[in-house]
Amino acid sequence: MLDKSIKPGAIPTEELVQFLTFRLDGLDYGIPIIQVQEIRGWTKVTSLPNSPRYIRGVLNLRGTIVPIIDLRLRFNLNEAAYDSFTVIVVINVGQRLAGVVVDAVSDVISLSTEQRQTPPEFEGHANRQFVKGLAQIDEKLLVLLDVERLVNPDTLAEAVEAAA
C-alpha cells in the first residue's frame, strides 16, 4: 500500500494521522490505522443466536473471541456476497477487539488536520453518529469513521433495541 497523500520530498508541517481506507458499496471509508490490529481474508465465523443481523458471528483469534460486524448491514446498505476481495479488518478499541467486514481494503493515507473536515449537520440519518469527518482525496470523498462509536457496546445495544 502506498501513501498517496504525501508528496515526495514534502516536509510535514503539522500532525499527520494515517488512515486505512477501504471500499464499501462503492464508497470510500477510512479508519485510523493506529486502531487496526490486522487485516484478514474473509473466513467463516460462528453465528450466535439472537444477534442483530449485522453481527455475523464470532471468530476465535488466537484465543480471543472477536465479534464480527458486517458494515454493509450495520449501515443499512445492500447485502453483497463475500468474494476474494472481502476482508475482515480487526480493530482494537480500548481493550476490546472487533472485526468489521468490508468489501476491500484500498490504501493507507496520511491526512493533516486541514484535510479533515467536520461532516455537515443533518438530522434523521441513523449512520451519522458513526461519521467522524470527511476528507477530499484526489477525486473522491473519504468518509472517516468513528471506530470507537461503531463498536461501542452501548451503541450496539441501541441498535438491538431499535431492531426489536
Side-chain angles (χ1 to χ4, degrees):
M1 292 185 221
L2 298 174
D3 188 337
K4 296 179 179 178
S5 60
I6 300 177
K7 295 181 177 157
I11 299 172
T13 57
E14 62 179 292
E15 180 183 347
L16 296 174
V17 177
Q18 290 189 313
F19 290 85
L20 173 71
T21 63
F22 57 88
R23 305 269 308 162
L24 195 64
D25 199 30
L27 298 175
D28 295 291
Y29 293 85
I31 56 176
I33 195 144
I34 196 166
Q35 293 178 301
V36 175
Q37 179 162 318
E38 66 182 79
I39 300 168
R40 305 171 51 98
W42 168 252
T43 56
K44 187 170 172 59
V45 297
T46 302
S47 298
L48 295 176
N50 296 323
S51 296
R53 187 167 168 251
Y54 60 83
I55 302 285
R56 284 302 190 182
V58 293
L59 181 69
N60 186 340
L61 186 64
R62 294 179 291 281
T64 302
I65 302 301
V66 178
I68 305 299
I69 301 166
D70 187 318
L71 279 188
R72 277 181 169 264
L73 300 179
R74 182 72 171 116
F75 293 163
N76 295 318
L77 301 172
N78 293 327
E79 192 170 357
Y82 297 154
D83 60 23
S84 60
F85 297 105
T86 304
V87 297
I88 298 172
V89 179
V90 179
I91 51 180
N92 189 339
V93 178
Q95 298 298 315
R96 292 177 296 130
L97 295 178
V100 293
V101 180
V102 302
D103 293 350
V105 292
S106 304
D107 233 330
V108 174
I109 62 169
S110 296
L111 296 174
S112 68
T113 304
E114 291 177 351
Q115 291 175 298
R116 291 177 270 156
Q117 300 175 3
T118 304
E121 292 292 327
F122 54 97
E123 297 299 326
H125 198 285
N127 294 329
R128 165 67 173 84
Q129 63 182 319
F130 306 121
V131 177
K132 194 169 194 170
L134 302 167
Q136 184 74 40
I137 306 296
D138 297 327
E139 299 298 318
K140 61 186 175 185
L141 191 61
L142 184 66
V143 179
L144 304 175
L145 296 177
D146 185 339
V147 175
E148 293 171 7
R149 183 108 177 114
L150 189 64
V151 299
N152 182 308
D154 295 333
T155 305
L156 293 175
E158 288 173 10
V160 171
E161 291 172 9

